Amino acid sequence: MKRGLNDSKTNATAPRATIVEVAAAAGVSIKTVSRVVNREASVSDRTREKVEAAIQALGYRPNPSARSLAGNRSYSLGILYQAPREFGYVRNALDGVMAACEAEGYALLMRPCQDVLDLDGVDQFLAQTRIDGAVLTAPICDDDQVMALLTERGVPFCQLSPAAHRPGGLSAHADDEPASRALTEHLLSLGHRRIGFILGHPDHSSSAQRLAGYLRALKRHGLRKDAGLIAQGYFEFESGKACARRLLKRKHRPTAIFASNDEMASGVLYVARELGLKVPEDLSIVGFDDSMVAERTWPPLTTVRQPVTAMADAITRSLIKSLRGHPVAAKDQERHYDCELVLRASSGIAPSE
Amino acid sequence: MKRGLNDSKTNATAPRATIVEVAAAAGVSIKTVSRVVNREASVSDRTREKVEAAIQALGYRPNPSARSLAGNRSYSLGILYQAPREFGYVRNALDGVMAACEAEGYALLMRPCQDVLDLDGVDQFLAQTRIDGAVLTAPICDDDQVMALLTERGVPFCQLSPAAHRPGGLSAHADDEPASRALTEHLLSLGHRRIGFILGHPDHSSSAQRLAGYLRALKRHGLRKDAGLIAQGYFEFESGKACARRLLKRKHRPTAIFASNDEMASGVLYVARELGLKVPEDLSIVGFDDSMVAERTWPPLTTVRQPVTAMADAITRSLIKSLRGHPVAAKDQERHYDCELVLRASSGIAPSE
DNA sequence: TTGTACGCGTTATCAG
DNA sequence: CTGATAACGCGTACAA
């Protein structure tokens, strides 16, 4: 049998101990060892201690492949995500899901998806990995075809920031709408009356929610929706630039612009500079997400922070709990999280109109 | 057997076909099916076609757990990385490694590591996942203890941007030193003579290489090293700010600052603004990595781009090739990549001294 | 070129 | 509470 580079055949350690050796060392049957390893209840304390000692002594680690084969589950989850240039949301989601998986002894397999979803690719992923469950991130969490496929394959899943909670499903959701409203109120309180709005990518349900919050705030202040102040962006820097140009070219240009994420907000900032507008004196700008760029631009961006990592962690734990056959309390099936307003200099000052 | 939410027991599809059923359908033995699946040579065309038809018809997919158990390998790799706030390098590395794994039918398991490496955690990772090989990213790729552990466990690995290639090992490496030199020459050609330098994190070998390139360029222009112009940073925004303050407080302040990455460069930019210095008129700033912030700051940062994704992809493919027992050509064992200078406005103009 | 039979290290059934 | 023993699905000597 050929082996590759870094060959360590000669100085390799002894092969890992198996359950049989542990059983022999502890003077019990392998089933009992299995019981101890899997924390089943019906084992006497004396036996458990003996077994645990043997496990310790031999450095025993159950073989995941054997476990999977015999148990007909893989002890691993998958996470499906779209990977835009701005990786903030996805990265936070990953952090949370990974933390949960590690804590619960699950492995995590990642599946990046393209803008236009490749269903066959996902199906292949399911076949190759045999994951026990999946975490769906936005906007994939709202894709009916993906959910149908998972259901067909018998793979339970949870949704991170979906458009709507599915009865009997698992989801974590940040309240974008109130946050967006508060952010808009902030601008209104500074005296702004013509506030431009740059929509996010239409596939993301949060785009609509952020718009709704913006409109609601305007309404509460007796302002009517002005379609000319609303531009369709795609959550990307360049689209933020394009929208900003359109909005700022109006003869009655807005005194403030609310971009649906920080990337686009930084695009607005770029265009403001091109046009010689001072921020925030001539133009207030706010973003959303509190991504890394929000602290790096000048002036730094007023924005909204979502607890994505915590949301992902929590929902993943619920998923695993459910995979283990434990009931998940109703309040843990549909979780809601508040967002936090982060005030920085880009919105700062009352408009000089 | 209890199952959790999203229960699809009732409307689930038939369980996946096994090799036995395929063999039956094709009228051959399971060994023959195995041969076809694993692309072994000694199968007649007629038989192969029959088997492939049966596989197609039944939608057969080999069970990875069974494969792993019987074959004593997991068909999966691990990637070890440190996850700083600035995720650019890691993310590019991930992209490359994942592309390679997907192309080669390997799964990828991720192992984020803390600044101070938890060896036991890594060992646990190896035990739980039984990965066939590992990709080490900077700065973990230079950690002797990790490499010793992997060797002891018989897990072959490759290194992404290590300090030095290990004979018989696998590594991909971008030539930081020449790039750093070119970047410094760029500043020198603009007329700068007092160029501050902010070092990267000492754990990263690239930090030393970037310094070396800087010093070499100075020397070629007859300038001597001035310790007062060199500050120790840690690849982070805040450390860039701190170093910039120190450097710019000198009575004879530098007219340009070379920060060892873009994050720190954006920190320098921040401090320049605090001090009322115009960039690039009063101070030229250059970074390294061409991360996302480099395009978002104002002015955008002159920097250096490394082909990290391509490097990661290539080295991972070599690793997999070697895992399969195929020889890896010498030129593919130690790969060198050129960096690319990215000129933007932050360095732009000759110093007004 | 093809097939048989065994083993991989667990989980699970069912009897003690 | 504990233990034989049969799966689980595939790779691989070895034989044909």
Side-chain angles (χ1 to χ4, degrees), chain A:
Chain A
M1 175 191 305
K2 274 186 294 184
R3 299 199 73 224
L5 304 168
N6 296 119
D7 193 321
S8 44
K9 215 38 181 301
T10 51
N11 55 345
T13 35
R16 291 198 172 277
T18 75
I19 198 173
V20 178
E21 308 174 50
V22 175
V28 300
S29 76
I30 63 169
K31 177 60 189 169
T32 299
V33 176
S34 175
R35 285 194 177 92
V36 171
V37 168
N38 294 306
R39 298 198 159 69
E40 289 177 34
S42 54
V43 178
S44 76
D45 286 352
R46 250 184 55 71
T47 312
R48 175 188 313 284
E49 282 162 22
K50 271 194 309 185
V51 172
E52 276 167 353
I55 288 176
Q56 198 67 32
L58 294 171
Y60 168 72
R61 293 291 193 159
N63 179 316
S65 306
R67 250 155 84 93
S68 303
L69 183 58
N72 194 33
R73 48 207 134 114
S74 63
Y75 301 93
S76 67
L77 300 186
I79 177 171
L80 307 194
Y81 63 90
Q82 268 184 210
R85 232 183 106 66
E86 201 282 294
F87 205 59
Y89 166 76
V90 169
R91 195 256 164 109
N92 288 337
L94 271 174
D95 283 350
V97 175
M98 265 175 47
C101 283
E102 191 165 341
E104 301 295 337
Y106 272 67
L108 178 64
L109 297 172
M110 319 208 319
R111 171 74 207 182
C113 299
Q114 306 301 319
D115 264 36
V116 47
L117 207 52
D118 170 21
L119 262 193
D120 285 340
V122 174
D123 197 20
Q124 201 165 324
F125 176 71
L126 298 181
Q128 282 186 12
T129 63
R130 310 272 166 125
I131 52 175
D132 293 341
V135 179
L136 305 186
T137 61
I140 300 169
C141 58
D142 294 317
D143 188 306
D144 289 328
Q145 294 191 297
V146 168
M147 291 191 275
L149 175 62
L150 289 168
T151 304
E152 190 183 329
R153 296 295 181 216
V155 179
F157 59 88
C158 63
Q159 300 166 288
L160 187 61
S161 28
H165 177 75
R166 315 168 62 241
L170 255 26
S171 72
H173 183 272
D175 289 326
D176 289 62
E177 198 271 1
S180 168
R181 185 147 54 94
L183 190 52
T184 309
E185 302 265 12
H186 166 63
L187 291 173
L188 289 164
S189 76
L190 290 173
H192 293 284
R193 286 302 173 267
R194 278 198 313 287
I195 303 175
F197 186 86
I198 303 181
L199 282 157
H201 195 293
D203 284 355
H204 286 253
S205 62
S206 55
S207 296
Q209 293 170 21
R210 290 171 195 181
L211 175 66
Y214 160 80
L215 291 177
R216 184 117 77 98
L218 291 189
K219 197 166 191 177
R220 283 178 55 136
H221 283 250
L223 297 173
R224 292 187 34 202
K225 170 177 176 178
D226 176 352
L229 282 175
I230 299 177
Q232 179 69 57
Y234 297 92
F235 279 151
E236 290 182 344
F237 183 63
E238 288 300 330
S239 72
K241 278 162 59 172
C243 291
R245 292 207 177 92
R246 199 172 325 134
L247 292 174
L248 295 173
K249 224 188 298 181
R250 288 167 52 110
K251 57 186 88 128
H252 238 52
R253 63 171 179 74
T255 62
I257 291 184
F258 177 160
S260 289
N261 76 349
D262 295 334
E263 273 297 290
M264 297 195 296
S266 72
V268 177
L269 211 44
Y270 183 96
V271 171
R273 278 231 174 65
E274 278 185 341
L275 299 178
L277 296 174
K278 284 207 157 63
V279 177
E281 292 83 351
D282 303 330
L283 180 71
S284 285
I285 300 176
V286 300
F288 217 100
D289 286 350
D290 193 29
S291 68
M292 227 189 49
V293 295
E295 301 180 79
R296 303 287 182 275
T297 61
W298 188 270
L301 292 170
T302 287
T303 184
V304 167
R305 181 184 308 148
Q306 300 183 31
V308 176
T309 305
M311 292 161 57
D313 182 285
I315 202 69
T316 304
R317 284 172 197 265
S318 294
L319 176 61
I320 292 175
K321 197 171 175 186
S322 131
L323 289 176
R324 293 195 166 133
H326 302 152
V328 175
K331 72 172 173 52
D332 291 340
Q333 293 184 22
E334 179 179 7
R335 290 167 189 267
H336 275 269
Y337 289 79
D338 288 329
C339 299
E340 180 189 349
L341 222 56
V342 181
L343 298 181
R344 298 208 182 89
S346 72
S347 62
I349 301 176
S352 57
E353 188 165 359

Side-chain angles (χ1 to χ4, degrees), chain A residues 298, chain B residues 244-245 248-249 253-254 267-285 298-299 352:
Chain A
W298 188 270
Chain B
R245 291 207 178 92
L248 295 172
K249 222 187 301 181
R253 63 170 180 76
V268 177
L269 210 44
Y270 184 97
V271 171
R273 278 227 176 64
E274 279 185 340
L275 299 178
L277 296 174
K278 283 207 159 62
V279 177
E281 291 83 351
D282 301 330
L283 179 71
S284 286
I285 300 175
W298 188 270
S352 58

Side-chain angles (χ1 to χ4, degrees), chain B residues 44 59 176 205:
Chain B
S44 78
D176 288 63
S205 62

